[in-house]
Amino acid sequence: MARKIRDIMTGSPTSVSPELDIVTVARAMRDEDIGAVLVAEGDDMKGLVTDRDLVVRGLAAGGDPKEIKIGGLASSATATIGPDDSVDRAAQIMRERAVRRLPVVEDGRPVGIVSIGDLAVEKDSASALADISAARPNT
């Protein structure tokens, strides 16, 4: 039987206000050693921002990074998954939506994030992606 998302997800996702600037969010991502944050107002999830979004949509666009608000960079979180859904279901959604991360939502609130790397470690622990995803981060 396939494992459930709750078994492989990263719990307690970091959420940030859409009003924060990208420098503040980038520092939080560095300090917490994470590659994505949820953008939320209270329990209302507005979207997701990755480290790549900070560069491609934020810094590369020009302007003062301390003035660019994270809410303007967020990808809308149209695809989510529940903690009791299967790993296979997450892979299916990621393929269909061409996304690498899915917010995990329970009772309307974000409770985690599952990444393509998490799936690789679970489904094929001998793959190159699984090795990279399981490795300690570069510092």
Side-chain angles (χ1 to χ4, degrees):
M1 182 170 129
R3 291 181 56 178
K4 295 182 186 243
I5 293 302
R6 76 172 64 255
D7 298 327
I8 68 165
M9 72 182 192
T10 300
S12 302
T14 298
S15 294
V16 298
S17 164
E19 296 304 313
L20 286 179
D21 63 85
I22 65 172
V23 172
T24 301
V25 174
R27 287 180 180 152
M29 292 170 94
R30 176 200 61 201
D31 294 347
E32 295 181 37
D33 191 29
I34 56 176
V37 295
L38 298 178
V39 178
E41 290 179 315
D43 283 341
D44 185 23
M45 187 172 48
K46 300 292 186 184
L48 180 109
V49 171
T50 67
D51 45 8
R52 185 174 191 279
D53 293 332
L54 294 178
V55 173
V56 174
R57 295 184 188 163
L59 295 176
D64 182 353
K66 290 189 176 198
E67 299 297 321
I68 300 170
K69 303 300 180 201
I70 204 72
L73 305 182
S75 300
S76 62
T78 57
T80 62
I81 195 156
D84 292 321
D85 286 328
S86 71
V87 170
D88 291 338
R89 178 71 180 129
Q92 178 186 5
I93 293 170
M94 287 180 178
R95 268 191 216 99
E96 290 171 355
R97 301 292 182 107
V99 296
R100 294 176 177 90
R101 293 176 180 92
L102 289 173
V104 182
V105 177
E106 185 172 43
D107 298 326
R109 292 190 330 262
V111 295
I113 295 178
V114 65
S115 72
I116 195 169
D118 297 329
L119 298 183
V121 169
E122 175 64 20
K123 303 276 284 167
D124 185 4
S125 61
S127 72
L129 180 55
D131 286 346
I132 293 165
S133 297
R136 293 179 53 107
N138 296 330
T139 54

